[in-house]
Amino acid sequence: MESLSLTVNGKPVSAEVEGRTLLVQLLRETLGMTGTHVGCDTSQCGACLVHVNGDVVKACTMFAFEADGAEVTTIEGMADGDDLHPIQEAFRTHHGLQCGFCTPGMIMSAAALLKENPKPTEAEIRHHLEGNICRCTGYHNIVRAILAASGQPVPERTATATADA
Amino acid sequence: MYDFNVARPGSIDEAVKLLSDEDAQALGGGQTLIPTMKQRLAAPELLVSLTNIPEMQGVCRDGDTLSIGGATPHAVVARDAAAHFPGLAALAGQIGDPAVRNRGTLGGSLANNDPSACYPAAALGTGATIVTNTRRIASEDFFQGMFDTALDEGEIIVSVDFPIAEVSAYAKFAQPASRFALVGAFVARYADGVRVAITGASETGVFRWTEAEEALSQDFSHEALDGLSVDSDGMIGDIHGAPTYRAHLVSVMTRRAVAAAI
């Protein structure tokens, strides 16, 4: 067993885990924080995205022991008490979710993008979401929500939606 | 996956000592190894993480050489190499997706030598030198066929020295699901000639397209490639593309890389 000390959403956490324990298992099973989802478990869908030392990573494709000493932020750490994070609020306002399963990963991905690029274009948003799969295919409203969260005007229809129509 | 012991050494010497155990396996960013272990296609008894060794991290320029630590993630290369070697930085920025780029490492990619990975094209296309804990290996000698390299058991890629090109570009036709290269072409022009490395296409892994190199060394324009093509014998054929399709893409992606480099 490995002894770990890390910070999760600003709070110090200690845990004993097996070598094979994935970061997402530590979060969900050991710490009971089930906001981070396991979608594909094959590093493709992005439902398990969390931030480790500020970088967005797939929690299903990182061992918990490698997060020893790290600062981890999950979807549970985004809201400020009862006040949703602006990205969460934008997803709600613009109906950026259908079943909601991919949403935690989408929001963590969007937060990483806006930190690096506060005013992304629609094309940049779509490119950045390459590793996030929404099986309801609700991408247009997800893109609109991220545009809104970045403080930019939200088109009635996104460019790709218009082209598809 | 099966359980195993882990170690997270803080120095190369310590890592090398741990990896002398024949059932030990080095862990870079784990973006290939972890999925492989989940499928039980790999089951090491000891996993030695190389991500906590400061001397294996970062991008450092020394004259005309860009030296990149073996455990440097793709995202760091994409960001920190951009001012020095934009073609190489752009290649790193096209690997996988943003979350994969934050974990996956240069050394891990080269040591795995996936026939469809991007980094082998950069290493061979620049004539890079792979620096290990024991020796320096020329890229021509390093890649020895699909998933095979010159690395000995327990040998670690400490850093890679990339000669900085005058101009360069990577053009990748991404496999739509995996984002690996269906075919990728890295083109780099140096004072003494042009190098062209192709990934994703051949059953023997990354290779240099020497005919194109000669033509481009005479005239660095996509027109110089008119009439040149590679034989489809030995090209990969799978559900994503037949050998003839990949051979065709080799020409197309090389032209696009040249156009992007100019």
Side-chain angles (χ1 to χ4, degrees):
Chain A
M1 297 293 273
E2 303 299 311
S3 298
L4 309 181
S5 297
L6 62 159
T7 307
V8 179
N9 298 330
K11 295 194 185 98
V13 167
S14 295
E16 294 271 315
V17 297
E18 290 184 324
R20 63 181 164 179
T21 303
L22 297 165
L23 178 58
V24 75
Q25 292 172 314
L26 171 73
L27 294 170
R28 290 178 57 86
E29 295 165 25
T30 312
L31 303 178
M33 299 170 69
T34 54
T36 303
H37 289 171
V38 179
C40 65
D41 201 22
T42 56
S43 328
Q44 296 177 60
C45 79
C48 67
L49 294 188
V50 300
H51 297 180
V52 175
N53 296 329
D55 294 328
V56 66
V57 306
K58 297 184 183 189
C60 85
T61 312
M62 176 171 173
F63 290 116
F65 78 86
E66 294 221 279
D68 189 26
E71 283 190 27
V72 176
T73 306
T74 70
I75 188 70
E76 287 93 340
M78 296 300 278
D80 181 9
D82 289 338
D83 295 329
L84 292 179
H85 186 279
I87 300 174
Q88 292 173 307
E89 192 62 55
F91 269 65
R92 190 173 75 160
T93 307
H94 294 277
H95 194 59
L97 60 153
Q98 291 181 34
C99 85
F101 196 86
C102 71
T103 312
M106 288 289 180
I107 288 173
M108 299 314 284
S109 185
L113 170 66
L114 297 186
K115 192 179 74 171
E116 216 171 84
N117 181 359
K119 301 282 179 201
T121 63
E122 184 193 331
E124 286 168 340
I125 293 169
R126 288 182 183 276
H127 181 65
H128 181 84
L129 293 178
E130 209 168 43
N132 289 85
I133 295 175
C134 166
R135 246 356 6 159
C136 306
T137 71
Y139 296 105
H140 295 317
N141 282 353
I142 291 168
V143 172
R144 297 173 80 233
I146 297 171
L147 278 170
S150 69
Q152 301 183 91
V154 180
E156 197 57 35
R157 286 179 163 211
T158 54
T160 312
T162 310
D164 287 349
Chain B
M1 70 190 96
Y2 296 110
D3 200 14
F4 47 84
N5 292 316
V6 299
R8 212 167 167 234
S11 73
I12 293 168
D13 288 348
E14 209 186 324
V16 168
K17 200 176 290 176
L18 288 159
L19 285 165
S20 64
D21 179 340
E22 65 173 280
D23 295 314
Q25 161 79 48
L27 172 68
Q31 301 303 287
T32 296
L33 183 57
I34 296 174
T36 308
M37 290 174 68
K38 286 182 181 179
Q39 294 178 64
R40 296 185 169 176
L41 295 171
E45 288 183 12
L46 173 65
L47 210 51
V48 181
S49 167
L50 303 180
T51 55
N52 198 32
I53 302 174
E55 47 196 317
M56 286 177 63
Q57 294 283 348
V59 175
C60 172
R61 181 169 185 163
D62 181 11
D64 292 333
T65 302
L66 199 65
S67 182
I68 303 181
T72 311
H74 311 325
V76 173
V77 177
R79 187 190 65 213
D80 293 352
H84 306 288
F85 198 160
L88 176 64
L91 174 142
Q94 289 178 53
I95 300 171
D97 60 49
V100 166
R101 291 195 287 275
N102 281 331
R103 291 295 301 165
T105 66
L106 168 62
S109 173
L110 294 180
N112 190 46
N113 192 18
D114 188 299
S116 300
C118 300
Y119 263 136
L124 192 61
T126 58
T129 302
I130 288 82
V131 182
T132 77
N133 55 301
T134 57
R135 56 188 169 140
R136 299 172 61 84
I137 310 173
S139 55
E140 277 80 2
D141 303 323
F142 182 81
F143 301 106
Q144 301 197 340
M146 212 179 253
F147 298 109
D148 196 13
T149 70
L151 290 173
D152 290 329
E153 286 295 319
E155 192 173 5
I156 296 173
I157 298 175
V158 173
S159 62
V160 181
D161 289 347
F162 292 94
I164 298 173
E166 293 172 350
V167 292
S168 65
Y170 178 60
K172 165 176 163 180
F173 193 98
Q175 202 264 70
S178 72
R179 320 312 290 175
F180 271 89
L182 198 62
V183 169
F186 188 86
V187 171
R189 192 183 75 197
Y190 292 90
D192 60 353
V194 174
R195 293 175 70 104
V196 178
I198 307 292
T199 189
S202 168
E203 286 177 339
T204 54
V206 66
F207 69 94
R208 282 173 71 182
W209 187 14
T210 48
E211 239 186 321
E213 290 182 350
E214 283 159 22
L216 291 169
S217 295
Q218 297 297 316
D219 170 19
F220 194 68
S221 72
H222 68 86
E223 289 91 348
L225 297 169
D226 286 350
L228 294 187
S229 60
V230 295
D231 198 326
S232 61
D233 277 357
M235 293 288 132
I236 298 170
D238 57 22
I239 58 167
H240 307 296
T244 48
Y245 182 62
R246 277 191 167 81
H248 179 66
L249 274 182
V250 170
S251 305
V252 174
M253 301 322 287
T254 305
R255 280 167 192 276
R256 287 187 188 176
V258 172
I262 298 169

